[in-house]
Amino acid sequence: MTSSAGVVDALGALAVPVALLIGIEPKTAWLLSVLWVLKVVPGIPGLRQLRRVLVLESGPLVSVLVIFLMVVFLASVAEYFLERDVQPQTFGSVPAALWWAVVTLTTTGYGDVVPVTPLGRMVAAMVMISGLGVFGLWTGILATGFAAETRRDNFLKTWESVSKVPFFAALGPAAIADVTHMLRTMELPARTMIIRKGAQGDCMYFIAAGEVEVDLPGKKVQLGEGAFFGEMALLGNNKRGANVSTTKVSRLLVLDLVDFRVLMARHPDLAETIDAEAKRRTLENK
Amino acid sequence: MTSSAGVVDALGALAVPVALLIGIEPKTAWLLSVLWVLKVVPGIPGLRQLRRVLVLESGPLVSVLVIFLMVVFLASVAEYFLERDVQPQTFGSVPAALWWAVVTLTTTGYGDVVPVTPLGRMVAAMVMISGLGVFGLWTGILATGFAAETRRDNFLKTWESVSKVPFFAALGPAAIADVTHMLRTMELPARTMIIRKGAQGDCMYFIAAGEVEVDLPGKKVQLGEGAFFGEMALLGNNKRGANVSTTKVSRLLVLDLVDFRVLMARHPDLAETIDAEAKRRTLENK
Amino acid sequence: MTSSAGVVDALGALAVPVALLIGIEPKTAWLLSVLWVLKVVPGIPGLRQLRRVLVLESGPLVSVLVIFLMVVFLASVAEYFLERDVQPQTFGSVPAALWWAVVTLTTTGYGDVVPVTPLGRMVAAMVMISGLGVFGLWTGILATGFAAETRRDNFLKTWESVSKVPFFAALGPAAIADVTHMLRTMELPARTMIIRKGAQGDCMYFIAAGEVEVDLPGKKVQLGEGAFFGEMALLGNNKRGANVSTTKVSRLLVLDLVDFRVLMARHPDLAETIDAEAKRRTLENK
Amino acid sequence: MTSSAGVVDALGALAVPVALLIGIEPKTAWLLSVLWVLKVVPGIPGLRQLRRVLVLESGPLVSVLVIFLMVVFLASVAEYFLERDVQPQTFGSVPAALWWAVVTLTTTGYGDVVPVTPLGRMVAAMVMISGLGVFGLWTGILATGFAAETRRDNFLKTWESVSKVPFFAALGPAAIADVTHMLRTMELPARTMIIRKGAQGDCMYFIAAGEVEVDLPGKKVQLGEGAFFGEMALLGNNKRGANVSTTKVSRLLVLDLVDFRVLMARHPDLAETIDAEAKRRTLENK
């Protein structure tokens, strides 16, 4: 990673001077500074995830690409054959017909090269419909890969944190794997409002790292690592009862209402712990 | 929510007078009344659901957007370089080339700016194929997010109702969570036909709220909250035996034939209850 | 259904004469015979399935449509404002701008109306990118709905047949629901080749209705309802050992190699039955 | 398969001479050599998989195609009727209007034929929006089919190998089916680097066939069929401790970190085996 960053740096820094040195005119040489844009690449969020999808699904993606190229090739030869006499200007060579085929199969359709003979238009119609098919296959492959990757990624991020929350420590490893699939990790900067009083509540939070402050009437309560909050809204009245915000950079685990209910049903002991804590808090704040 | 509605109201109401006051000519000022369209936003069905998908999947969506912009940027510089001498009119500046790149990468393809040099066309072909890829990734991400969101939303809507139907009360909480995944909520106005006599039947209904009327030969039977109907078509003969319609605004839980069978297999006691009720009804209506 | 078919019939049959009678010129009137095309509708395979998806997902689909229309409306007003002075011919009225917006947002891009001002092009670029988003959302919704519908449909078609195959009768109802999810129904006309000798085998078949003929060396064996075949290729050597074809219209249940293995693992008694039958057949045909 | 390959060969080899013999002019005849491109078809990776998806989903795909054709047909008659008087050149016949309809519905939009009347444009707008719908349905169907096919394919490829790895032999057949769903097969040529020292580790490997070499400080260790490696990075410190590369063509089974944890949770005995081996190796390499 570090070495490839160095190559990009060198490429960005040296491209312009080198171009100037070897005698390319300045107006063109300066364009090469566009290579600095490549510096952005490692910072793109989720890029690693996208790359993994592309690698894992490379087999079917390449096979769609090959089909794409074959359609382009056969269609352009057919159109060259059908249109060259009528439009020697635009369909006069196979490369020109190839250009038409790519523009058509991707459904871009500039309109600079258009078949006019009835047979040529029939071939074109088939190319366009194939274009929809290629789109569909491509998307289907990427959607499938992406769904799997998202689940995997979330699991990896969440697993670490779950095992650190004492609340879940009582669960066996199989149950922890189960719980991990239900939770979502959320990274928050300091002084961020998490819950707004009076809002509709549909999830509860566990603190994996950091600290939050609950703004109760007359006092402020700090909750640290391993604590949970927001459970009241899931246990009957679904309006949030107090503002909650982070005091430092925090990592929270979010449990949706849906999964809260499934979890409580499967692990009645967790349900009791949450219930007991909720009652204790209600009494305390009366 | 209320305050943002107020802002939209004020914007819609004040835009035109303010524009007139500060001296914009009337013809243009009146266009600002288009902002009233924003009043529609909160009323769009399912908008909350779409927003949640966009928020939860924002990471990968942004990363696709960044890739999109990088392709646009690199492609437009390349085309500017390759085409500016041949077509100074259309590719004479980088912004003009940027316009071409966006039009091409989204596969819109107006055809007002088209590369003509062989190298320029090769770059353009690659941009178009990348366009398909961007489409595919985008769709894949949204499809994944949407599938998860739909399941979650249905669960939330249905959960409340299920626990109120006495028929399901006998089940433990784990089984209720299981059943909830199988049911679909349906809100109906009064006097709506639910079942038409003689039609093919492939689901049964539980009444979560409201009332329905079964139109039996010679008499009309009312069924209230907690009752179920339509089970006959699932227990052998699959033609509906009577018309059923709502008498007031009702919320029904729909159980598909598929899930009916899975449910009956997993919870034989429920199967017996339904069987017994079906027999009782058959006898009564003979 | 029958009454709507009648309406279509009447519409198709009466449109032309009525049009001629009320004085429309013949050349135009004959065009109405195109309405006969609607007769095809009920015969489209899988149409019921598509309609169910559209109905069940109508909420989010409508919400995407509303978003689509809002973008079209706001964009066309903005472009009218930005381009009307430069191109009074094409952007001279809001309806003309609406036409541009629809052509652009669907990424059709005829190129008959194209913004030329820098600001107008920026708005256009945003419209195109929104177009990709609308595509993505739409597809995501339909893909989600379609996946659910496909699973449901297959289950319904297969369930009936499974319970009629004695081989599965030994299983409890929960296991039958489980098995049903694994099987795929296949309807075949008479005299259709199902298995070709020497081909790669990756599934086995159960006969739900009809009859097949196994073409063994020196004799032909008939298998009737409830029998199974093709299991040899899954139990070791994966080349098909004989030609098999239907003798009458048949309905087969196909069990894929994947599911065969999962099934055998979960229900060892079924595995034994299949093994025993395979051995008996091998001995018999030696 | 072999006979169809022969036909393609013959077609490719004979097309040009036959065309020359029957008197087609050479310039055109040589174009037929393009048929050699069909030779590539059997070599396309994943083509079998794509074909299976198309076959299994042919029902809904055909129904979308029929809808597509109906929209094209009705729209072109409508546009012919609305535009023929204004633009006799381009909309003067139904075939010309059909061409417009295909170009529009696939969102290609050449712009050579464009409606100009207000009603014609409204019909066109509806055709474009239907185009998005057709895209969406098509993609949804293919995505659904592809997801199922991918899972099936991976299972088939992996199953064989899993049962040959002694490590998994202790598991019952149900657990093996379970494990198979978690593993991914990877085919590698000889002398390929699998693990790079110091890299982030998020999976472990089982050797189904072939051999790998672990490059420890001071010695090289060979691991053969049935051995596993890379487990250290999953058991605490997640930096790879040594380079690992293949010595011959190998087939590896990859277990992702996610699945590693789920597997360890469900089968504690496997966890112990891996733990013990990891400790033994750590001691040995001290």
Side-chain angles (χ1 to χ4, degrees):
Chain A
M1 214 56 179
T2 46
S3 69
S4 79
V7 169
V8 169
D9 268 356
L11 214 71
L14 297 178
V16 178
V18 165
L20 287 171
L21 271 179
I22 63 173
I24 295 172
E25 55 169 324
K27 200 177 139 205
T28 302
W30 286 112
L31 285 181
L32 289 171
S33 60
V34 87
L35 292 171
W36 279 98
V37 135
L38 297 175
K39 288 278 288 182
V40 179
V41 174
I44 301 178
L47 191 69
R48 213 180 52 76
Q49 206 177 347
L50 291 179
R51 206 175 48 195
R52 256 186 73 94
V53 171
L54 294 178
V55 168
L56 287 179
E57 302 288 337
S58 57
L61 285 175
V62 165
S63 104
V64 173
L65 191 65
V66 173
I67 292 169
F68 178 94
L69 293 175
M70 277 185 59
V71 173
V72 161
F73 194 54
L74 291 174
S76 60
V77 170
E79 287 287 350
Y80 165 66
F81 178 69
L82 294 164
E83 299 277 334
R84 66 180 165 180
D85 297 327
V86 191
Q87 312 185 67
Q89 205 92 53
T90 48
F91 278 106
S93 67
V94 172
L98 271 172
W99 168 245
W100 165 85
V102 170
V103 169
T104 301
L105 189 54
T106 57
T107 77
T108 306
Y110 282 135
D112 56 338
V113 189
V114 177
V116 295
T117 63
L119 265 175
R121 288 186 161 185
M122 256 177 218
V123 170
M126 279 187 300
V127 170
M128 286 171 211
I129 294 170
S130 308
L132 297 193
V134 168
F135 254 132
L137 279 173
W138 214 295
T139 305
I141 295 165
L142 289 173
T144 303
F146 206 83
E149 195 54 27
T150 298
R151 225 170 316 128
R152 178 182 178 277
D153 225 57
N154 180 56
F155 190 94
L156 285 183
K157 261 200 291 186
T158 306
W159 176 274
E160 301 280 295
S161 312
V162 170
S163 43
K164 284 185 204 140
V165 174
F167 181 74
F168 296 117
L171 298 167
I176 287 188
D178 192 40
V179 166
T180 303
H181 278 298
M182 294 182 180
L183 294 165
R184 198 158 33 87
T185 303
M186 208 162 85
E187 311 274 349
L188 290 173
R191 312 248 137 252
T192 310
M193 173 82 69
I194 308 165
I195 291 181
R196 197 176 299 274
K197 194 176 171 178
Q200 207 70 10
D202 59 1
C203 57
M204 69 175 290
Y205 301 85
F206 297 87
I207 306 172
E211 196 194 53
V212 307
E213 198 175 69
V214 187
D215 195 359
L216 291 168
K219 64 179 166 172
K220 300 199 169 196
V221 177
Q222 272 79 32
L223 296 174
E225 260 179 59
F228 57 82
F229 61 93
E231 79 287 351
M232 306 263 196
L234 308 185
L235 290 169
N237 59 326
N238 53 13
K239 287 263 181 281
R240 296 298 192 184
N243 286 333
V244 182
S245 47
T246 55
T247 58
K248 31 178 158 163
V249 176
S250 304
R251 188 184 311 114
L252 302 180
L253 299 173
V254 186
L255 182 64
D256 253 356
L257 181 49
V258 185
D259 299 314
F260 175 75
R261 282 184 174 151
V262 175
L263 186 67
M264 295 306 106
R266 284 200 209 143
H267 302 283
D269 42 327
L270 289 188
E272 274 167 41
T273 313
I274 291 182
D275 248 4
E277 177 67 13
K279 271 186 200 124
R280 197 188 61 70
R281 286 181 185 175
T282 314
L283 279 174
E284 210 176 73
N285 302 331
K286 267 217 177 114
Chain B
M1 214 59 178
T2 46
S3 70
S4 79
V7 169
V8 169
D9 268 356
L11 213 72
L14 297 178
V16 178
V18 165
L20 288 171
L21 271 179
I22 63 173
I24 295 172
E25 56 168 323
K27 200 177 140 205
T28 303
W30 286 113
L31 284 181
L32 289 170
S33 60
V34 86
L35 292 171
W36 279 99
V37 134
L38 297 175
K39 288 280 287 181
V40 179
V41 174
I44 302 177
L47 190 70
R48 211 180 54 77
Q49 206 177 348
L50 290 180
R51 208 175 48 195
R52 257 187 73 94
V53 172
L54 294 179
V55 168
L56 287 180
E57 302 288 336
S58 56
L61 286 175
V62 164
S63 103
V64 173
L65 191 65
V66 172
I67 292 170
F68 179 94
L69 293 176
M70 278 184 59
V71 172
V72 161
F73 194 54
L74 291 175
S76 60
V77 170
E79 287 287 350
Y80 165 66
F81 177 69
L82 294 165
E83 299 277 334
R84 66 180 166 180
D85 296 327
V86 190
Q87 310 185 69
Q89 205 91 52
T90 48
F91 278 105
S93 68
V94 172
L98 271 171
W99 168 246
W100 165 84
V102 170
V103 169
T104 302
L105 189 54
T106 56
T107 76
T108 306
Y110 282 135
D112 55 338
V113 189
V114 178
V116 294
T117 62
L119 265 175
R121 288 185 163 185
M122 255 176 220
V123 170
M126 278 187 300
V127 170
M128 286 169 210
I129 294 171
S130 308
L132 296 192
V134 168
F135 254 130
L137 279 173
W138 214 296
T139 305
I141 295 166
L142 290 172
T144 303
F146 206 83
E149 195 54 27
T150 298
R151 227 170 315 127
R152 178 182 179 276
D153 225 58
N154 181 55
F155 189 95
L156 285 182
K157 261 201 291 189
T158 307
W159 176 274
E160 300 280 294
S161 312
V162 169
S163 44
K164 285 187 203 137
V165 174
F167 181 73
F168 296 117
L171 297 168
I176 287 187
D178 192 39
V179 166
T180 303
H181 277 298
M182 294 182 180
L183 294 164
R184 197 157 33 86
T185 302
M186 207 163 84
E187 311 274 349
L188 290 173
R191 313 247 137 252
T192 311
M193 174 80 71
I194 308 165
I195 290 181
R196 196 176 300 273
K197 196 175 172 177
Q200 206 71 9
D202 60 0
C203 56
M204 68 176 290
Y205 302 85
F206 297 88
I207 307 173
E211 197 193 53
V212 307
E213 198 174 69
V214 186
D215 195 358
L216 293 169
K219 64 176 166 173
K220 299 200 169 196
V221 176
Q222 272 79 31
L223 296 174
E225 260 180 59
F228 57 83
F229 60 94
E231 78 288 352
M232 307 261 195
L234 309 186
L235 290 167
N237 59 327
N238 53 12
K239 285 261 183 281
R240 296 299 190 184
N243 284 333
V244 182
S245 47
T246 54
T247 58
K248 32 178 157 163
V249 177
S250 303
R251 187 183 311 115
L252 302 180
L253 299 173
V254 187
L255 182 63
D256 254 355
L257 180 49
V258 185
D259 300 314
F260 174 74
R261 283 187 173 147
V262 175
L263 187 67
M264 295 306 105
R266 286 201 207 141
H267 302 283
D269 41 327
L270 289 188
E272 275 167 40
T273 313
I274 291 182
D275 247 5
E277 177 67 14
K279 271 186 200 123
R280 197 188 60 70
R281 286 181 186 176
T282 315
L283 279 175
E284 209 176 73
N285 302 332
K286 270 225 174 104
Chain C
M1 214 56 177
T2 46
S3 69
S4 79
V7 170
V8 169
D9 268 356
L11 212 71
L14 297 178
V16 178
V18 165
L20 287 171
L21 270 179
I22 62 172
I24 294 172
E25 57 168 324
K27 198 178 139 206
T28 302
W30 286 113
L31 284 181
L32 289 171
S33 60
V34 86
L35 292 171
W36 279 98
V37 135
L38 297 175
K39 288 279 287 180
V40 178
V41 175
I44 302 177
L47 192 69
R48 212 180 52 76
Q49 206 178 347
L50 289 180
R51 207 175 48 194
R52 258 187 71 94
V53 172
L54 294 179
V55 169
L56 287 180
E57 301 288 337
S58 57
L61 286 174
V62 165
S63 102
V64 173
L65 191 66
V66 173
I67 291 169
F68 179 93
L69 292 177
M70 278 184 58
V71 173
V72 161
F73 194 54
L74 291 175
S76 61
V77 170
E79 287 287 351
Y80 166 65
F81 178 69
L82 293 165
E83 298 277 334
R84 67 181 165 179
D85 297 326
V86 191
Q87 311 187 68
Q89 206 91 50
T90 48
F91 277 106
S93 68
V94 172
L98 272 171
W99 169 246
W100 166 84
V102 170
V103 169
T104 303
L105 190 54
T106 57
T107 75
T108 306
Y110 282 135
D112 56 338
V113 189
V114 177
V116 295
T117 63
L119 265 174
R121 289 187 162 184
M122 256 176 219
V123 170
M126 279 186 300
V127 170
M128 286 169 209
I129 294 171
S130 309
L132 297 192
V134 168
F135 254 131
L137 279 172
W138 213 296
T139 306
I141 295 166
L142 290 172
T144 303
F146 206 84
E149 195 55 27
T150 299
R151 225 170 316 128
R152 178 180 179 277
D153 226 57
N154 181 56
F155 190 96
L156 286 182
K157 260 198 293 188
T158 307
W159 177 274
E160 302 280 294
S161 312
V162 170
S163 43
K164 285 185 203 140
V165 174
F167 180 74
F168 296 118
L171 296 169
I176 288 188
D178 192 39
V179 165
T180 304
H181 277 297
M182 294 183 180
L183 294 164
R184 197 157 34 87
T185 302
M186 207 162 84
E187 312 274 349
L188 290 174
R191 314 245 136 256
T192 311
M193 173 81 72
I194 308 166
I195 290 181
R196 197 176 299 274
K197 195 176 170 175
Q200 205 70 9
D202 59 1
C203 55
M204 69 175 291
Y205 302 85
F206 297 87
I207 306 173
E211 197 192 54
V212 305
E213 199 174 72
V214 187
D215 195 359
L216 291 169
K219 64 176 168 174
K220 299 201 171 197
V221 177
Q222 271 78 31
L223 296 174
E225 260 179 57
F228 58 84
F229 60 94
E231 79 288 351
M232 306 262 196
L234 309 187
L235 290 168
N237 59 326
N238 52 11
K239 287 262 182 280
R240 298 298 192 184
N243 284 334
V244 182
S245 47
T246 54
T247 58
K248 33 178 156 166
V249 176
S250 304
R251 187 183 311 116
L252 302 180
L253 299 173
V254 186
L255 181 64
D256 253 356
L257 181 48
V258 185
D259 301 314
F260 174 74
R261 286 193 169 141
V262 175
L263 187 67
M264 295 305 106
R266 285 200 208 142
H267 302 283
D269 42 325
L270 290 187
E272 275 167 40
T273 314
I274 291 182
D275 247 4
E277 177 68 13
K279 272 185 200 124
R280 198 189 59 71
R281 287 181 186 174
T282 315
L283 280 173
E284 211 176 72
N285 302 332
K286 272 226 171 105
Chain D
M1 213 55 177
T2 45
S3 70
S4 78
V7 169
V8 169
D9 268 355
L11 212 71
L14 297 177
V16 178
V18 166
L20 288 170
L21 271 178
I22 63 173
I24 294 172
E25 55 169 323
K27 200 177 138 206
T28 302
W30 286 113
L31 285 181
L32 290 170
S33 60
V34 87
L35 292 171
W36 278 99
V37 135
L38 297 175
K39 288 278 289 180
V40 179
V41 174
I44 301 178
L47 191 70
R48 213 181 50 77
Q49 206 177 348
L50 290 180
R51 206 175 49 195
R52 258 186 70 95
V53 172
L54 294 178
V55 169
L56 287 180
E57 302 287 337
S58 57
L61 286 174
V62 165
S63 103
V64 172
L65 191 64
V66 173
I67 291 169
F68 178 94
L69 292 176
M70 278 184 58
V71 172
V72 161
F73 194 54
L74 292 175
S76 61
V77 170
E79 287 287 351
Y80 165 65
F81 178 69
L82 294 165
E83 299 277 334
R84 65 179 167 183
D85 297 326
V86 190
Q87 312 186 67
Q89 206 91 51
T90 49
F91 277 105
S93 69
V94 172
L98 272 171
W99 169 245
W100 165 85
V102 170
V103 169
T104 302
L105 189 53
T106 57
T107 76
T108 306
Y110 282 134
D112 56 338
V113 190
V114 177
V116 294
T117 62
L119 265 175
R121 289 186 161 184
M122 255 177 220
V123 170
M126 279 187 300
V127 170
M128 286 170 210
I129 294 171
S130 308
L132 296 193
V134 168
F135 254 132
L137 280 172
W138 214 295
T139 305
I141 294 164
L142 290 172
T144 303
F146 206 84
E149 195 54 26
T150 299
R151 225 170 315 128
R152 176 180 180 278
D153 226 58
N154 181 55
F155 190 94
L156 286 182
K157 260 199 292 186
T158 306
W159 177 274
E160 302 280 294
S161 312
V162 170
S163 44
K164 283 185 205 140
V165 174
F167 181 73
F168 296 117
L171 296 168
I176 287 187
D178 192 39
V179 166
T180 303
H181 277 297
M182 294 182 180
L183 294 164
R184 197 158 34 86
T185 302
M186 208 162 85
E187 312 273 350
L188 291 173
R191 312 247 137 251
T192 311
M193 173 82 70
I194 309 165
I195 290 181
R196 198 176 298 273
K197 195 176 171 176
Q200 206 70 10
D202 59 0
C203 56
M204 69 176 289
Y205 302 84
F206 297 87
I207 306 172
E211 196 193 55
V212 307
E213 198 176 70
V214 186
D215 195 357
L216 291 169
K219 63 178 167 173
K220 301 200 169 195
V221 176
Q222 272 79 33
L223 296 173
E225 260 180 57
F228 57 83
F229 61 94
E231 77 288 351
M232 306 263 196
L234 309 186
L235 290 168
N237 60 326
N238 52 12
K239 287 261 182 279
R240 297 298 193 185
N243 285 333
V244 181
S245 48
T246 55
T247 59
K248 33 178 156 164
V249 177
S250 303
R251 187 182 312 115
L252 302 180
L253 299 172
V254 186
L255 181 65
D256 254 355
L257 181 49
V258 185
D259 300 315
F260 173 75
R261 285 189 171 146
V262 174
L263 187 67
M264 296 305 107
R266 285 200 208 144
H267 302 284
D269 42 326
L270 290 188
E272 274 167 42
T273 314
I274 291 182
D275 247 4
E277 178 68 13
K279 269 185 202 126
R280 198 188 60 71
R281 287 181 186 176
T282 314
L283 279 175
E284 209 175 74
N285 302 331
K286 268 218 175 117

